[in-house]
Amino acid sequence: MNRISDLRKNLFAGTTSNARQFGMIFTLVAIVLLFQIWTGGLTLTSGNLIAVVSQYSYILILSIGMLMVIVAGHIDLSVGSVAAFTGIVVAKAMETYSLPWPLGIALGLLVGALIGAWQGFWVAYVGVPAFIVTLAGMMLFRGGNQYIGNADTVPVPEGFREIGAGFLPEVGPDTGYNNLTLLLGLAACAGMVWREGRARQTRREMNADVAPLWITGIRLAVMLAVIVFATLRFAGGRVGTSLPVSGIILMVLVLAYSYYTRNTIAGRHIYAVGGNARAAELSGVKLRRVNFVVMMNMSVLAALAGMIFVARSAASGPQDGLSWELDAIAAVFIGGAAVSGGLGTISGSIVGGLVMALLNNGLQLEGVGSDMVQIIKGLVLLLAVAFDVYNKRQGRFSIIGSLLRPFRREKPAAPAAAPAAAPAAAPASDPDTAPVAG
């Protein structure tokens, strides 16, 4: 019994958030096994896994930025329109002005940064709720996409397509696998072992509880088995295919943003703002700066996702980006984030995104119509928002409750008994800070 208790405690890390993410990993495994049986073994083939990463990497990239937005207590409904607008601007620039594709990528990131600065200004410095700002942005940039592209498709050059449709090249001797993918998998295994060893050493130095070695061994063995399996699958695809370039971009972003949100002061400030904005403000956190950065960062990642999608499609079109915000938001909530803000991880959002991606993929392999796929997505979003209702009942901040508050009639509070002492006046707000919208 003690061993089972230790296993649950250390795998769940003693927190509700990690327990939910751990549960979603089991859900992901269950979905994979279900569709593996249902499709007669097609789900885990090399070709299908490569296709999943290639087709859904842009949603996973969006979920990274959306996680930070939701953790800070906001929501962004404009990501699909921003991605579509950026895609058409870059495609038009390369077609009309013969802009080299590397400069086209730089232009796209710049467009995303400008859009993010525009939306971040309204949220952080004017105080308009992000829900309203991004709803306006969704309409504004969708219209901009159709205006610039004249509601037509615009092709992109061959070099630009590599970021969305390219794969790691074949190098070295013929091993029957893609050698670069094998080396990348080997490096991932070594990094995982180093990370676990470093984590145990750090906890010892801090005189904190250290998980029993046998539990660390189980956790490490499971993770290494997953990495090895995925490496062999991606490296063993048909000749000319391997790990997609978009997958490499996604992995770099996951590592970078995981470090940023967990190990930097600026990253922890995002969680502080989402957890308790007033307390964060009184602690010296610059709320305006945090809100501006998360909104700007979201648009930059949306621009990158849009360019990857356009590169894979070989052209930008008026239907790009439709309902992307639904997939990104659902991925974040499924991955363990709370609508109330202050809770969630990058890795959890990736797990949630993979649940959505493999669910879509499995249904498509079975020939399920797009109507049923949309119904299932809607149900997933509904269940995710149910977490916000639960948090609200626990007395925590709720985005939905905040949006509906102006329309409620509150009963006047009963006169309080004579207090022992009058409460101290709240300190004046720092001119460089502002309350979280909503």
Side-chain angles (χ1 to χ4, degrees):
M1 184 63 67
N2 289 335
R3 283 180 174 268
I4 296 177
S5 178
D6 287 342
L7 186 63
R8 291 178 57 189
K9 176 182 177 182
N10 288 281
L11 286 180
F12 287 1
T15 67
T16 302
S17 176
N18 285 339
R20 287 172 57 191
Q21 293 170 21
F22 192 85
M24 287 316 305
I25 293 176
F26 278 114
T27 301
L28 177 62
V29 172
I31 289 175
V32 170
L33 294 178
L34 172 65
F35 283 117
Q36 177 72 358
I37 297 172
W38 194 8
T39 61
L42 293 178
T43 299
L44 292 179
T45 60
S46 294
N48 188 63
L49 291 178
I50 291 172
V52 167
V53 173
S54 181
Q55 292 173 8
Y56 296 102
S57 58
Y58 63 92
I59 294 296
L60 298 178
I61 290 174
L62 288 176
S63 70
I64 295 173
M66 190 66 73
L67 181 276
M68 297 171 65
V69 171
I70 290 175
V71 164
H74 301 297
I75 203 77
D76 193 331
L77 303 178
S78 68
V79 293
S81 298
V82 171
F85 179 79
T86 303
I88 195 64
V89 168
V90 172
K92 272 288 188 180
M94 291 188 293
E95 180 191 54
T96 304
Y97 302 104
S98 299
L99 189 70
W101 67 264
L103 293 181
I105 295 175
L107 173 63
L109 295 177
L110 177 61
V111 169
L114 292 175
I115 293 174
W118 162 263
Q119 298 195 136
F121 167 78
W122 288 101
V123 172
Y125 294 96
V126 179
V128 181
F131 180 89
I132 301 301
V133 172
T134 58
L135 179 62
M138 179 175 67
M139 296 182 285
L140 175 64
F141 298 113
R142 175 62 55 185
N145 167 270
Q146 297 177 357
Y147 176 79
I148 294 175
N150 197 25
D152 199 2
T153 58
V154 179
V156 293
E158 188 69 30
F160 183 81
R161 299 176 192 176
E162 285 297 313
I163 65 172
F167 303 93
L168 287 180
E170 301 284 349
V171 297
D174 183 8
T175 60
Y177 293 94
N178 180 273
N179 293 325
L180 288 181
T181 303
L182 291 177
L183 291 175
L184 191 60
L186 182 62
C189 290
M192 189 62 65
V193 173
W194 177 86
R195 179 177 178 273
E196 284 293 321
R198 179 63 178 170
R200 290 181 63 86
Q201 180 182 351
T202 300
R203 294 187 67 84
R204 287 196 190 95
E205 292 173 353
M206 297 174 61
N207 293 322
D209 292 337
V210 181
L213 186 60
W214 66 273
I215 291 182
T216 300
I218 291 176
R219 185 168 56 217
L220 190 58
V222 171
M223 291 186 293
L224 291 179
V226 171
I227 293 174
V228 170
F229 176 82
T231 298
L232 294 177
R233 287 298 182 181
F234 283 108
R238 61 180 176 82
V239 177
T241 64
S242 58
L243 184 61
V245 172
S246 58
I248 300 293
I249 297 173
L250 173 63
M251 288 191 295
V252 171
L253 291 175
V254 168
L255 292 175
Y257 278 91
S258 294
Y259 180 84
Y260 175 77
T261 55
R262 296 180 60 178
N263 300 102
T264 68
I265 295 176
R268 301 315 299 175
H269 281 178
I270 298 173
Y271 287 86
V273 169
N276 190 323
R278 183 59 176 165
E281 182 180 19
L282 294 176
S283 299
V285 175
K286 304 298 183 182
L287 300 187
R288 287 180 175 175
R289 183 182 303 170
V290 171
N291 292 330
F292 182 85
V293 167
V294 296
M295 298 305 297
M296 184 174 181
N297 175 76
M298 179 72 262
S299 292
V300 172
L301 290 180
L304 176 60
M307 289 189 289
I308 289 176
F309 180 83
V310 168
R312 184 177 182 277
S313 304
S316 175
Q319 301 302 313
D320 295 351
L322 291 177
S323 298
W324 287 11
E325 53 278 347
L326 169 63
D327 291 330
I329 292 170
V332 172
F333 291 157
I334 290 171
V339 185
S340 56
L343 183 66
T345 63
I346 299 296
S347 58
S349 296
I350 296 301
V351 171
L354 289 175
V355 168
M356 291 292 292
L358 290 169
L359 185 63
N360 281 335
N361 176 257
L363 294 173
Q364 290 173 0
L365 288 176
E366 282 301 303
V368 177
S370 60
D371 50 352
M372 287 302 301
V373 172
Q374 293 300 320
I375 290 173
I376 293 173
K377 286 184 179 179
L379 291 174
V380 168
L381 181 60
L382 180 61
L383 292 174
V385 174
F387 284 113
D388 180 73
V389 176
Y390 172 79
N391 285 331
K392 179 184 175 184
R393 288 176 178 173
Q394 303 306 308
R396 293 189 286 267
F397 173 78
S398 167
I399 291 178
I400 294 175
S402 298
L403 292 174
L404 295 180
R405 190 180 299 123
F407 303 99
R408 296 198 187 101
R409 288 185 177 180
E410 301 290 350
K411 294 182 179 181
S429 298
D430 189 327
D432 288 333
T433 60
V436 175

